[in-house]
Amino acid sequence: MSPTPTGRLFGNDLVLTRTFRASAGDVWASVTDPERTARWFGPWQGDAAPGRTIKVQMAYEEGGPWMDMTIDACEPPRRLAISAGEEPDRWHLDLMLTERAGVTELRFTQHLTGTEGVGEVGPGWEYYLDALVASRDGQPMPDFNDYYPSMKDHFEAQR
């Protein structure tokens, strides 16, 4: 399989979108319910609320590490903003859902501090968002080897 990269850089914002024939509420559950996130990213634990920190397992990364993520904003079923890591390399992520006539667009944005690592970051998010699609459609998980390094040039060319 050779998936086509969709991500675009807008300044220091890396933006990827996926579209679902589903309500925003249903897609929201896929990105916030720990049982459903476990199907494509990993489970999470904790008391989820704005300003709180949860533990998220990156189940599809080597060793399945757990990491702390802070919920910066939560506006169901429209917007989730989270951050992880330490400054100056802290990741700031934004998920926006827009529903029109039973079709929901997920707009995923990583607010980068610079674009030097986008060739590694972009393919990873393409993989995870395609894993989200596969989990919702009952399809097998994608293979990360189909994403990296083959998509690296697509993202590097946008710097």
Side-chain angles (χ1 to χ4, degrees):
M1 179 176 141
S2 295
T4 303
T6 63
R8 297 283 181 259
L9 270 177
F10 297 93
N12 282 345
D13 285 348
L14 173 61
V15 178
L16 301 97
T17 60
R18 296 295 185 274
T19 303
F20 304 90
R21 292 199 171 280
S23 69
D26 185 46
V27 178
W28 178 262
S30 292
V31 298
T32 61
D33 180 276
E35 287 183 26
R36 291 179 73 176
T37 62
R39 298 176 196 162
W40 64 276
F41 190 82
W44 61 267
Q45 302 170 347
D47 184 16
R52 300 256 174 99
T53 299
I54 59 173
K55 292 210 170 289
V56 179
Q57 183 181 30
M58 298 182 72
Y60 297 94
E61 298 292 324
E62 188 175 327
W66 286 84
M67 66 186 302
D68 289 343
M69 289 191 163
T70 301
I71 300 171
D72 300 316
C74 184
E75 304 162 13
R78 196 174 65 77
R79 178 175 180 240
L80 177 65
I82 56 178
S83 55
E86 301 295 324
E87 297 296 348
D89 299 319
R90 190 162 179 82
W91 284 26
H92 297 275
L93 311 173
D94 235 324
L95 289 83
M96 297 287 296
L97 300 176
T98 307
E99 180 182 354
R100 287 186 188 87
V103 175
T104 299
E105 179 186 83
L106 181 150
R107 180 180 172 99
F108 174 92
T109 303
Q110 180 173 355
H111 305 286
L112 303 167
T113 56
T115 61
E116 53 279 343
V118 74
E120 286 76 33
V121 173
W125 290 125
E126 295 279 5
Y127 164 80
Y128 277 114
L129 292 176
D130 284 352
L132 169 60
V133 171
S135 76
R136 291 182 52 81
D137 292 345
Q139 299 296 316
M141 287 291 289
D143 183 344
F144 184 71
N145 294 318
D146 293 333
Y147 293 78
Y148 187 84
S150 64
M151 289 186 180
K152 182 177 182 175
D153 289 344
H154 167 82
F155 290 97
E156 290 291 333
Q158 297 180 56
R159 293 183 60 205

